[in-house]
Amino acid sequence: MKTLKYSRQRESIKTCLMARHDHPTADALYTSIREEFPNISLGTVYRNLNLLVELGEIQKLTCGDGADHFDADTSPHYHFVCRKCGQVYDLPMEPMDSINHLAQKHAEGQVDSHKIYFYGTCNDCLENN
Amino acid sequence: MKTLKYSRQRESIKTCLMARHDHPTADALYTSIREEFPNISLGTVYRNLNLLVELGEIQKLTCGDGADHFDADTSPHYHFVCRKCGQVYDLPMEPMDSINHLAQKHAEGQVDSHKIYFYGTCNDCLENN
DNA sequence: CTAACTGCAAAGGTTTTGCAAGCGC
DNA sequence: GCGCTTGCAAAACCTTTGCAGTTAG
């Protein structure tokens, strides 16, 4: 077990992610952070995001558009992904705790968690046709 | 709209995928197909897999382990992903058709479909500790 | 003959990693 | 000072693409 040390970069990455609600990719976050730390490297952003995911302080979203997205909200909730623009939205609906047990009955193993992604077209893309 | 032409390679890719139930990655499928077509290229495998996905004949699974997996079963069903070995299993549970409507009430857009991935440890990995 | 398809190889995009220097404790 | 962290750059990895040759209709 390795001991964590404070780092201004990690602090900033977490703060910045908590302040946004658009579930940025590592690269988008990197662009933001560079306003405060012009010399930070993309490798550092990735290393810290992975570290924060391991610590359970943030979560990684793999919604199928190529790059992973990150979310500072680790409470159970679901996401809506626009297939046109790729934007990822929080979905303020009740988490379905019971479906882990439902899945458990049919799974060939121990079920711990689940993720749900809803797909469709967001209002912005519907309007701008 | 472009017209499709028959190709032995595409035929073989689909047949091979239908015969397996382990949701292979493009590369794993490529290795299999090479037994029948030693000269097939990975690019051809990707091109045809994407084509088959567009046609709705197979589906792509993005479960978060880096590479996409493919599934010849396009009927609505869910998947169980082992976090230890990365194996993807079919989950023979009832599809929850109603949750699209549930999500629709809270979504900032038009919801078309959803995917659910359950995560945990598969029996093989539990046994081999 | 024409347009779709192929193999090959190169390029593209995302993420990880090795290394020497820097910094927290 | 020790060891975690950083910046940089290279590498690894997965997927797409350009091209010239092949094949189905």
Side-chain angles (χ1 to χ4, degrees), chain A residues 3-51:
Chain A
T3 319
L4 277 194
K5 262 180 199 173
Y6 173 83
S7 105
R8 287 175 306 144
Q9 287 89 339
R10 183 158 57 241
E11 174 85 17
S12 168
I13 288 168
K14 192 172 176 199
T15 306
C16 187
L17 188 58
M18 287 194 298
R20 318 177 41 150
H21 295 95
D22 62 341
H23 313 90
T25 60
D27 197 67
L29 204 48
Y30 168 63
T31 302
S32 285
I33 305 269
R34 248 148 70 112
E35 292 170 15
E36 189 184 355
F37 292 89
N39 292 322
I40 199 172
S41 82
L42 188 53
T44 297
V45 173
Y46 273 106
R47 268 187 289 236
N48 280 299
L49 285 172
N50 286 338
L51 202 46

Side-chain angles (χ1 to χ4, degrees), chain A residues 33-78:
Chain A
I33 305 269
R34 248 148 70 112
E35 292 170 15
E36 189 184 355
F37 292 89
N39 292 322
I40 199 172
S41 82
L42 188 53
T44 297
V45 173
Y46 273 106
R47 268 187 289 236
N48 280 299
L49 285 172
N50 286 338
L51 202 46
L52 291 167
V53 168
E54 280 170 39
L55 293 171
E57 297 186 21
I58 67 173
Q59 66 168 319
K60 185 186 285 191
L61 306 176
T62 306
C63 57
D65 69 340
D68 290 337
H69 294 246
F70 295 87
D71 188 349
D73 180 359
T74 56
S75 70
H77 66 284
Y78 304 131

Side-chain angles (χ1 to χ4, degrees), chain B residues 80-97:
Chain B
F80 171 53
V81 181
C82 177
R83 285 216 140 103
K84 286 241 162 66
C85 67
Q87 181 74 242
V88 180
Y89 299 85
D90 277 322
L91 216 36
M93 63 190 274
E94 290 296 304
M96 299 180 281
D97 310 306

Side-chain angles (χ1 to χ4, degrees), chain B residues 5-6 42-43 46-47 50 67-68:
Chain B
K5 264 180 196 173
Y6 173 82
L42 189 52
Y46 273 105
R47 268 187 290 238
N50 286 338
D68 291 337

Side-chain angles (χ1 to χ4, degrees), chain B residues 50-65:
Chain B
N50 286 338
L51 201 47
L52 290 167
V53 169
E54 279 170 41
L55 293 171
E57 296 186 21
I58 66 173
Q59 67 168 320
K60 185 186 285 192
L61 305 177
T62 306
C63 57
D65 69 340

